[in-house]
Amino acid sequence: MAIDTPARIAVIGAGPVGLEAALYGRYLGYDVDLFEQGETCQHVRQWQHVAMFSTWRHLTSPLGRAAIESQFGSRQWPDSNTSPTGREWLETYLLPLAQTDLLEDHIRTHHRVVSVLRTEHLKTDSQVDRRDWTLRLVVEDASGGESAIDADVVFDTTGVWGQPNWLGAGGAPALGERQWHERIVRWLPDVLETDRERFAGRRTLVVGGGTSAATAVRDLLQLADQERQTHVTWVHRRPRREGPAFLLTCDTDRHRGISRFLEQVQELEVSGHPALEICGESWVESITWDSQKWRVVLGGHCEQEWEGDHVVALVGYHPDLELFRELQVDASPVWECGMAMAKWLEQPPAQRPLGAAAVGRLDRGEPDFYILGAKSYGRRSDFFYWEGLLQIRDLFTRLGDRADLDLYASYESNWDQLGT
Ligand SMILES: Cc1cc2nc3c(=O)[nH]c(=O)nc-3n(C[C@H](O)[C@H](O)[C@H](O)COP(=O)(O)OP(=O)(O)OC[C@H]3O[C@@H](n4cnc5c(N)ncnc54)[C@H](O)[C@@H]3O)c2cc1C
């Protein structure tokens, strides 16, 4: 059933995918409101020092570029085959996009969505057509005031970066972890610049087996080459020499920077470094801060007690399911994405071509409520923004009930073609 314009769409989260979804809706004449808990692209701001794997070719949409050019005049875009840092992505594309007339007055920063519900119906009301009742957001502003916002359609694009996983055995909190939670570094630190003083000449324990942990280790070792006494212990669960977990499921052709990164990590693991100790097939049993040093008991292959200055936990993220607890939304017990999405993601990358329609795998059971972007992948860490664009394009074909609707094709340049 078509949702005719100017129906009201509420987008939760003004990250890259929320901005693109709101823009697409505005171009089509929907009444769109975008709610952001912090500043626009709050999560990307937190890792902006990182060199991205994707090239520019896969980091803008044709619609976004057209909106920026019609607002600020034509511009020289970067070489499409180079990769930016998060900061360059923000400054060159995402923030100008947010400042276009199409979006600027529709973004409410410092408005955190606390819950999404259906008025008049409880989650447990299953014998009714839930579509008959309005979707509502409960929104908290910067002063703590709350308001209720009704919408015809809701997109949850809140990402996963705000919910880091625990360190301990089985993914639960390690003994002592909840007590010292605030002291543990749970984001990728900028050890070569902003956070340099803090890490130089110190002993750091990095926990995690994915690309973020590997990036932290690589950067800390570069710091160790310049600042003596800097030492890194890298704890992860995977067997040594297997490569960071996420890279095994990644389409390395599409994100060329990944192959180069993988080579660097493998070289580190094979040749070693005097300032590095690697503890594979290991995990954290307990953690204590004695007001001067951390004491961390490791279990598994590297059973030992480690003592040092910083603990950096980069063990993945999970989606906030609490936000839609009162809706009837399905979730895979393994990945916490939708069941249809989990089934699709279980196939190797080559067998899930990007051109295939995304909309079926966004169905979660609750009518007119959709989870897009990084959060649509749940606990998986192999989401890329480019896939978010496909989700947006395909979802609007359903909302508009027009199979041939494709605004990206209308604005496409020779720079990009979705699905290539
Ligand atoms: C270190 C790193 C490197 C990466 N490199 C690449 C790369 O090279 N290529 C690539 O395609 N992808 C990369 N990614 C993945 C990248 O995060 C995504 O492609 C992109 O940021 C996903 O956008 P999103 O809008 O889905 O989520 P996010 O960027 O996480 O944005 C979610 C937004 O929602 C807001 N929010 C959260 N909760 C609420 C709430 N309750 N109410 C209101 N607002 C809320 C947040 O503040 C945030 O602004 C990388 C990620 C990391 C961490």
Side-chain angles (χ1 to χ4, degrees):
M1 187 172 58
I3 309 272
D4 294 325
T5 54
R8 188 168 193 191
I9 301 179
V11 182
I12 315 173
V17 176
L19 289 176
E20 296 282 2
L23 182 73
Y24 209 105
R26 291 280 291 129
Y27 262 88
L28 289 173
Y30 288 99
D31 179 8
V32 183
D33 278 309
L34 195 42
F35 299 91
E36 167 55 49
Q37 64 176 355
E39 296 293 338
T40 304
C41 294
Q42 184 67 39
H43 290 165
V44 179
R45 287 169 195 261
Q46 286 173 288
W47 54 264
Q48 58 180 287
H49 56 283
V50 176
M52 298 185 72
F53 290 135
S54 301
T55 56
W56 274 112
R57 180 178 293 278
H58 295 114
L59 289 170
T60 67
S61 77
L63 210 55
R65 289 201 309 280
I68 292 171
E69 293 204 336
S70 78
Q71 178 92 33
F72 304 111
S74 68
R75 53 181 54 200
Q76 187 75 38
W77 293 99
D79 176 349
S80 63
N81 290 314
T82 59
S83 296
T85 59
R87 183 175 300 125
E88 287 162 346
W89 193 27
L90 274 173
E91 290 174 356
T92 308
Y93 181 69
L94 296 171
L95 298 184
L97 181 61
Q99 285 155 7
T100 58
D101 287 345
L102 279 161
L103 291 183
E104 191 167 35
D105 293 340
H106 296 259
I107 304 175
R108 299 196 214 174
T109 52
H110 301 285
H111 280 70
R112 189 171 72 90
V113 176
V114 181
S115 57
V116 189
L117 53 114
R118 231 175 235 287
T119 56
E120 308 278 330
H121 274 302
L122 298 175
K123 182 182 182 111
T124 46
D125 291 338
S126 50
Q127 304 300 320
V128 294
D129 185 354
R130 297 177 64 81
R131 208 185 278 264
D132 287 345
W133 300 99
T134 315
L135 281 161
R136 172 169 291 176
L137 312 185
V138 176
V139 184
E140 184 184 68
D141 64 28
S143 63
E146 289 186 341
S147 51
I149 309 282
D150 292 346
D152 299 298
V153 183
V154 174
F155 297 165
D156 177 350
T157 54
T158 55
V160 292
W161 179 256
Q163 293 78 229
N165 292 337
W166 294 105
L167 273 180
L175 303 181
E177 185 177 359
R178 285 182 305 143
Q179 185 180 353
W180 305 111
H181 172 59
E182 299 290 333
R183 280 206 149 261
I184 297 169
V185 178
R186 297 198 180 263
W187 327 109
L188 194 51
D190 184 7
V191 298
L192 294 171
E193 291 203 13
T194 320
D195 302 312
R196 188 186 179 97
E197 288 302 305
R198 200 170 159 201
F199 287 88
R202 305 286 179 174
R203 293 176 63 80
T204 300
L205 184 79
V206 177
V207 190
T211 49
S212 291
T215 302
V217 170
R218 185 197 59 186
D219 292 354
L220 280 162
L221 292 177
Q222 206 174 320
L223 183 64
D225 289 338
Q226 299 154 18
E227 304 275 359
R228 289 178 55 216
Q229 310 289 328
T230 307
H231 187 272
V232 191
T233 302
W234 184 9
V235 177
H236 58 70
R237 289 170 180 280
R238 61 190 163 79
R240 289 187 55 179
R241 298 188 192 167
E242 206 181 57
F246 148 79
L247 296 174
L248 303 175
T249 60
C250 187
D251 180 349
T252 50
D253 282 347
R254 197 171 296 275
H255 306 284
R256 274 178 260 148
I258 286 183
S259 315
R260 205 172 50 245
F261 176 79
L262 183 57
E263 276 164 27
Q264 286 174 357
V265 175
Q266 280 175 339
E267 198 180 308
L268 262 185
E269 298 210 317
V270 174
S271 320
H273 187 288
L276 173 68
E277 179 190 13
I278 299 182
C279 295
E281 295 173 68
S282 304
W283 55 84
V284 173
E285 290 282 6
S286 71
I287 181 163
T288 320
W289 172 251
D290 71 2
S291 79
Q292 304 227 310
K293 295 268 179 217
W294 286 104
R295 286 177 212 291
V296 179
V297 176
L298 301 177
H301 184 69
C302 268
E303 218 174 84
Q304 60 167 284
E305 184 173 317
W306 175 89
E307 195 184 284
D309 305 291
H310 298 294
V311 175
V312 177
L314 295 165
V315 288
Y317 302 88
H318 58 270
D320 174 8
L321 304 181
E322 205 50 39
L323 196 59
F324 47 79
R325 176 180 270 274
E326 300 311 323
L327 297 180
Q328 293 181 353
V329 178
D330 80 353
S332 144
V334 180
W335 295 109
E336 297 184 341
C337 57
M339 297 295 286
M341 180 67 87
K343 209 165 166 200
W344 184 74
L345 286 169
E346 269 160 21
Q347 304 166 69
Q351 283 164 34
R352 40 178 154 103
L354 287 181
V359 70
R361 48 184 192 271
L362 296 178
D363 278 327
R364 303 290 296 263
E366 182 72 49
D368 303 325
F369 176 77
Y370 297 97
I371 300 171
L372 309 178
K375 190 171 183 177
S376 70
Y377 273 37
R379 286 179 179 241
R380 291 184 61 118
S381 56
D382 51 350
F383 174 82
F384 284 96
Y385 153 90
W386 192 251
E387 297 187 28
L389 298 185
L390 294 173
Q391 294 176 349
I392 293 165
R393 181 194 66 182
D394 294 350
L395 184 51
F396 276 100
T397 63
R398 172 180 291 185
L399 297 185
D401 199 14
R402 283 172 52 194
D404 62 341
L405 178 64
D406 184 352
L407 292 187
Y408 292 148
S410 320
Y411 287 87
E412 210 165 71
S413 63
N414 56 6
W415 229 50
D416 48 31
Q417 272 182 345
L418 282 176
T420 59

